[in-house]
Amino acid sequence: MLNTDHGTRETRRPLRRHIAIALTAATLITGTLAAPAAFAGPAVAQAYTCHYTESSSGKWYAGYYSGETVIPSSTGVSSSGIEAQCLLKKSGWFDPGTIDGVFGTKSKAAARAFQEYINDWANRPMLVVDGIVGPETWYYLRCCAPGM
């Protein structure tokens, strides 16, 4: 014969309570294990490696962007930002900081110094000194930075 007696309400309460406590404990333990990743704070920017090559026309490339029109972003990682930072760094004179692809304050200061250098080198204003790597600055960055 099948026993269908599942106990009285009084005997089922302690079992439900033990199950609830076990589930709560499991949830807390799982949450504690996952919490460090969730609350680790802002991510550290990745540093990129520059892979320099010189074309047959004498232009330099770092392996991330081959054009001369895209302006590097100051708010997010971009291939043009990595490329411009690499080329500024290659010169040895214009330190853009960490090669992270974000064209922030230090990168813009390096670009301004480079633009001033080109203007002094040419003995006339060739570039607007604004820290923005646009088409005119790209041209000189690829061909005429010191150390290249």
Side-chain angles (χ1 to χ4, degrees):
M1 212 155 156
L2 186 61
N3 182 358
T4 59
D5 182 19
H6 297 291
T8 64
R9 191 176 281 189
E10 289 77 27
T11 59
R12 283 183 274 169
R13 279 188 189 148
L15 181 60
R16 286 183 184 164
R17 184 173 169 207
H18 289 304
I19 291 172
I21 290 170
L23 287 174
T24 302
T27 302
L28 289 172
I29 290 169
T30 304
T32 302
L33 294 175
F39 298 106
V44 176
Q46 177 181 346
Y48 292 88
T49 303
C50 305
H51 306 282
Y52 301 108
T53 58
E54 185 178 11
S55 72
S56 59
S57 63
K59 290 187 177 184
W60 284 91
Y61 298 88
Y64 293 96
Y65 170 68
S66 61
E68 295 182 3
T69 58
V70 176
I71 297 171
S73 172
S74 62
T75 59
V77 176
S78 67
S79 57
S80 61
I82 300 167
E83 185 80 8
Q85 289 172 329
C86 285
L87 294 175
L88 287 164
K89 181 179 180 180
K90 180 163 181 25
S91 73
W93 292 13
F94 313 105
D95 181 14
T98 302
I99 308 298
D100 60 5
V102 180
F103 215 74
T105 306
K106 196 162 186 179
S107 297
K108 286 181 180 181
R112 276 191 300 278
F114 173 75
Q115 291 162 337
E116 289 173 354
Y117 166 82
I118 292 298
N119 291 343
D120 289 344
W121 172 74
N123 283 327
R124 61 189 173 109
M126 301 293 288
L127 298 173
V128 175
V129 180
D130 57 5
I132 296 172
V133 180
E136 295 83 15
T137 300
W138 273 115
Y139 172 80
Y140 288 101
L141 198 53
R142 292 209 183 277
C143 75
C144 305
M148 295 187 177

